[in-house]
Amino acid sequence: MPSRTAGTRRPSAVRGGGRTPTPPRASRGGVRRMHERARRAWDRPLTAYYVILGAALLITTLGLVMVYSASMITALRYDLVPSYFFRKQFFAAVLGAALLLTASRMPVKLHRALAYPILVGAVFLMVLVQIPGIGRAVGGNQNWISLGGPFMLQPSEFGKLALILWGADLLARKQDMKLLTQWKHMLVPLVPGAFLLLGLIMLGGDMGTAIVLTAILFGLLWTAGAPTRLFVGVLTVAGAIGFLLIRTSANRMKRFACIGATDPGGEGAPCLQAAHGIYALASGGWFGSGLGASVEKWGQLPEAHTDFIFAVTGEELGLAGTLSVLALFAALGYAGIRVAGRTEDPFVRYAAGGVTTWITAQAVINIGAVLGLLPIAGVPLPLFSYGGSALLPTMFAVGLLIAFARQEPAAKAALAMRRPGWGRRAGVRWKSMRRRVKKRPSGER
């Protein structure tokens, strides 16, 4: 055999006596296949339908658990049964589930027909709030109506739903007439109508709800394709008005001063709520202290079952629990964006964009305040915090998203195939979820 020459090396040899590293083709191929499967799963017709329904129900269910845990001490402090607030929230959740189911089964034409009645009703109730003897003040804000006994109604929560339905119907009709290319038709009467609702809200001093309503207005304009200069102009005007309202209120300036606060402060403890919210999150660790084991809810943390329920969640369920809540809201928002982006119906696009903006913006404002990144705005965490007035219209809005997801042509076909008796009418017999065979005639073997 011929001997090897001195300069000949094995292909796998490298300087230093090692071997050339082979690329991890198997692992890269596995990641690529997983990504492809995830993409195909997300592109299925009913994915958005199931994600919206599942995420909303999980958030509501977990919210009921946390409301019960966070409100027990508050109920005992007022000489009530420990489950007092939970019972009220559970009753509201049952009513909300009925509204969700009703909204999800209603045709789009009926949703459009309800736009003006809901708007007129919301404005009427918001006017009643300002009448002495009818409106009630809670926490310094005049934005409640007593319904008798322990039940109260906050009409401004229904104003959010009214703005979405009315604004979506208005923009859709103008798009059909090809008027949205003119800035005056895009702004009028949408912006004046929104300012009417904002004025009624600000008469009661509810800055947090006004911020959420402003975010919905911007969401509608953005979905309608407002030019950047027009969008920036409206944003500048709204920002100037907001700055003026904040500068003229000592309470609102105090809330801005408590951003990132870790010390409750001196006399009067101006940053008590912000600081103890951080304490609750910090003491939760990775997996929390366990359900019912929160320390801050024993009186140190105000509004533990409403505005700051996310802090109690972090203390009892830890980082894992809070990240789960964030993931559910992210899934709900992403599915809402998919519904708005895939439809050909302009009303569905604007309404889905408005609802998605509402839920995600309010969640960001609430969680940002608990984390100390934003001022405390006094808005509840959607579907999660205690409060029937906030839960009912939000669940109806989720029903809107579900109805819109069902209206996609591919989703319609997939749902029709799952109806009872469809296979018999079509003359097929289902053998599995993926395979079907033709029925044989009676004499055929």
Side-chain angles (χ1 to χ4, degrees):
M1 291 181 63
S3 60
R4 301 185 186 193
T5 60
T8 304
R9 294 182 179 175
R10 293 183 180 180
S12 59
V14 294
R15 294 180 181 178
R19 305 179 72 88
T20 55
T22 57
R25 295 180 181 178
S27 61
R28 286 188 298 181
V31 172
R32 190 179 298 112
R33 284 194 298 270
M34 291 177 59
H35 178 268
E36 189 65 23
R37 289 176 184 173
R39 188 185 63 81
R40 285 199 303 266
W42 179 248
D43 286 337
R44 290 175 182 171
L46 294 176
T47 297
Y49 169 77
Y50 287 126
V51 169
I52 294 170
L53 178 61
L57 292 181
L58 286 174
I59 293 172
T60 306
T61 303
L62 182 58
L64 286 172
V65 174
M66 294 311 304
V67 164
Y68 180 59
S69 175
S71 65
M72 288 189 296
I73 307 305
T74 304
L76 292 173
R77 190 180 302 121
Y78 290 105
D79 295 327
L80 302 170
V81 295
S83 61
Y84 174 79
F85 293 104
F86 169 76
R87 291 177 183 178
K88 292 180 64 177
Q89 186 73 356
F90 183 78
F91 178 71
V94 172
L95 292 180
L99 288 176
L100 184 150
L101 181 61
T102 302
S104 67
R105 296 290 179 174
M106 290 167 54
V108 175
K109 289 183 179 180
L110 184 54
H111 285 301
R112 298 188 69 166
L114 289 175
Y116 282 87
I118 292 179
L119 177 66
V120 172
V123 171
F124 176 72
L125 291 175
M126 291 167 71
V127 171
L128 287 182
V129 169
Q130 305 306 323
I131 298 178
I134 299 179
R136 298 292 182 88
V138 176
N141 295 334
Q142 181 87 8
N143 52 6
W144 294 85
I145 296 178
S146 177
L147 300 179
F151 297 100
M152 300 183 70
L153 179 70
Q154 188 176 3
S156 57
E157 293 292 337
F158 295 87
K160 303 171 187 176
L161 179 63
L163 177 61
I164 291 172
L165 290 176
W166 172 69
D169 178 70
L170 178 68
L171 292 173
R173 287 189 287 108
K174 290 198 172 189
Q175 179 173 329
D176 292 339
M177 294 184 288
K178 303 186 184 305
L179 296 177
L180 289 184
T181 55
Q182 306 177 36
W183 67 269
K184 59 181 180 180
H185 285 288
M186 182 171 288
L187 295 183
V188 180
L190 177 61
V191 174
F195 279 8
L196 171 64
L197 295 174
L198 286 170
L200 292 173
I201 292 173
M202 289 308 301
L203 282 177
D206 191 356
M207 187 72 178
T209 303
I211 293 174
V212 176
L213 203 73
T214 305
I216 293 173
L217 173 61
F218 289 149
L220 289 171
L221 291 175
W222 183 271
T223 309
T228 303
R229 60 182 182 277
L230 183 64
F231 197 82
V232 172
V234 176
L235 182 61
T236 302
V237 173
I241 295 175
F243 178 78
L244 180 63
L245 292 173
I246 292 170
R247 288 290 298 177
T248 55
S249 172
N251 181 45
R252 295 176 189 139
M253 287 299 297
K254 187 187 302 181
R255 293 187 179 187
F256 267 87
C258 291
I259 294 178
T262 56
D263 184 359
E267 184 179 356
C271 298
L272 176 71
Q273 192 175 29
H276 281 279
I278 297 295
Y279 297 163
L281 291 171
S283 61
W286 288 100
F287 300 104
S289 56
L291 280 174
S294 169
V295 175
E296 293 293 335
K297 69 183 181 185
W298 283 80
Q300 298 296 326
L301 179 64
E303 306 296 338
H305 61 299
T306 55
D307 300 345
F308 270 66
I309 194 171
F310 189 76
V312 179
T313 304
E315 185 178 5
E316 296 188 349
L317 301 183
L319 182 63
T322 55
L323 290 181
S324 299
V325 174
L326 291 176
L328 289 173
F329 275 110
L332 182 59
Y334 195 68
I337 293 174
R338 165 178 159 151
V339 172
R342 292 197 172 191
T343 183
E344 298 295 332
D345 189 331
F347 172 79
V348 172
R349 182 184 308 113
Y350 300 140
V355 171
T356 305
T357 302
W358 169 14
I359 295 176
T360 54
Q362 187 165 322
V364 168
I365 292 172
N366 177 276
I367 295 174
V370 174
L371 295 176
L373 303 176
L374 295 174
I376 299 174
V379 296
L381 189 58
L383 302 172
F384 201 86
S385 295
Y386 170 79
S389 293
L391 184 63
L392 294 179
T394 307
M395 293 194 75
F396 186 89
V398 172
L400 279 177
L401 288 180
I402 294 174
F404 298 156
R406 292 166 56 93
Q407 293 298 317
E408 293 184 15
K412 275 186 176 181
L415 289 172
M417 292 169 62
R418 298 186 179 188
R419 291 173 185 166
W422 183 89
R424 292 191 295 272
R425 292 195 301 270
V428 297
R429 179 171 69 246
W430 291 90
K431 293 294 187 182
S432 67
M433 292 295 292
R434 295 186 177 181
R435 185 185 173 194
R436 59 186 179 182
V437 295
K438 290 286 183 180
K439 284 185 177 179
R440 296 179 178 178
S442 58
E444 184 180 349
R445 294 183 179 178

